[in-house]
């Protein structure tokens, strides 16, 4: 567990230990150094809302238990909900130009299922929906399901609303897509009803997942694993494996890998940076998955 610097007071260190422990117990996340140093700043609005003067008083209230509202507010404040539209544009280009066409050619039942795990405030899921709607002719007659889940209740609430600030839409969203798929909402912008209907946003915990069902063709779990211990990373990959099929494609964040975290996935033979589901072969060993055809 990452703790504040040695110069911090003993009271602050004790409070930080309680708060870090709460976050890990509720979400499995370990605070990085950068987030631990900024803990007090992140929690200041929570303390103000609940009439608390400092971190020590906040920790004492949490230790008395029973205040589930305060616990939820603390967890939401400490979670990293950093996101943007079309984050890592080269990944979205690969999805648009290679992955989605491959799925389109390989699904005779004309069903596309996508899971955005750790979706934060929804920009990733909305970016996928925009790509699909901009290519509507290709997907005519298809049943498209986009599931987007996150542990943060606050993030899911914003994602469902589809409301984003001017700063949010300026980060990665082209002017053409902004005008086509968003409408003014005061000083903010709101995703069109058509986009919002495409996505099923659910509050869910990757270590006790209830939202996903069946197998998904494309699974995105980007910039999520890096906050977990190796054991928890393996547990998440096992979950993703249970909800994938032989030709599913998994995408992780740029600094994340499946290496050393179990044998559920292997490097994809066709999509650089993507992962394929490992497939059992007759002798019981694990073999590399091969695309149909």
């Amino acid at each position: 567990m990452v703790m504040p610097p040695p110069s911090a007071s003993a009271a602050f260190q004790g409070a930080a230990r309680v708060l870090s422990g709460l976050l890990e117990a509720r979400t499995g996340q370990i605070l990085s150094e950068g987030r631990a140093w900024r803990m007090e700043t992140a929690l200041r609005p929570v303390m103000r809302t609940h009439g608390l003067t400092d971190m020590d008083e906040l920790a004492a209230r949490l230790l008395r238990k029973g205040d589930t509202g305060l616990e939820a507010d603390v967890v939401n404040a400490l979670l990293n909900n950093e996101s943007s539209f079309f984050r890592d544009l080269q990944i979205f280009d690969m999805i648009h130009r290679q992955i989605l066409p491959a799925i389109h050619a390989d699904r005779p039942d004309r069903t596309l299922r996508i899971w955005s795990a750790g979706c934060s405030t929804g920009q990733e899921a909305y970016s996928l929906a925009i790509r699909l709607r901009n290519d509507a002719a290709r997907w005519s007659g298809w049943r498209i399901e986009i599931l987007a889940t996150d542990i943060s209740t606050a993030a899911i609430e914003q994602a469902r609303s589809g409301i984003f600030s001017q700063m949010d839409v300026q980060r990665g969203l082209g002017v053409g897509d902004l005008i086509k798929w968003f409408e003014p909402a005061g000083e903010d912008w709101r995703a069109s009803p058509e986009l919002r209907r495409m996505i099923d946003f659910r509050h869910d915990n990757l270590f006790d997942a209830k939202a996903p069902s069946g197998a998904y063709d494309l699974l995105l779990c980007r910039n999520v694993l890096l906050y977990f211990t190796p054991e928890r990373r393996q547990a998440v990959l096992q979950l993703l494996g249970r909800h994938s099929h032989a030709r599913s494609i998994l995408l992780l964040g740029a600094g994340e890998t499946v290496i050393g975290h179990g044998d559920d996935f292997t490097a994809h033979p066709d999509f650089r940076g993507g992962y394929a589901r490992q497939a059992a072969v007759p002798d019981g060993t694990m073999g590399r998955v091969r695309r149909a055809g």
Side-chain angles (χ1 to χ4, degrees), residues 192-242:
S192 69
E194 183 177 353
L195 285 187
R196 298 202 308 276
R197 283 194 298 268
M198 290 181 68
I199 307 166
D200 181 11
F201 286 109
R202 302 274 196 94
H203 170 246
D204 205 18
N205 187 334
L206 287 173
F207 302 106
D208 185 25
K210 296 179 175 62
S213 64
Y216 295 84
D217 305 298
L218 175 60
L219 304 94
L220 300 96
C221 189
R222 302 194 302 149
N223 306 303
V224 176
L225 297 183
L226 54 87
Y227 296 114
F228 300 141
T229 63
E231 294 76 19
R232 287 185 178 269
R233 290 173 190 165
Q234 183 169 341
V236 171
L237 288 169
Q238 288 172 346
L239 169 69
L240 296 171
R242 290 195 297 273

Side-chain angles (χ1 to χ4, degrees), residues 86-166:
F86 298 99
R87 187 176 184 181
D88 301 323
L89 187 56
Q90 69 276 16
I91 294 295
F92 276 92
D93 283 344
M94 181 173 68
I95 291 172
H96 176 62
R97 300 177 188 279
Q98 300 177 48
I99 293 177
L100 289 178
I103 295 172
H104 187 279
D106 194 43
R107 290 306 304 262
D109 63 352
R110 297 166 72 85
T111 298
L112 171 64
R113 305 190 79 223
I114 300 174
W115 180 15
S116 171
C119 68
S120 186
T121 45
Q123 286 94 320
E124 178 176 84
Y126 282 115
S127 299
L128 292 165
I130 289 170
R131 279 282 192 257
L132 289 164
R133 291 308 302 145
N134 283 343
D135 201 12
R138 178 195 295 273
W139 298 100
S140 177
W142 280 63
R143 185 172 78 251
I144 296 174
E145 302 174 14
I146 303 176
L147 171 68
T149 64
D150 200 272
I151 187 67
S152 170
T153 55
I156 288 296
E157 184 177 341
Q158 180 182 339
R160 281 179 181 153
S161 76
I163 296 176
F164 298 94
S165 69
Q166 183 68 36

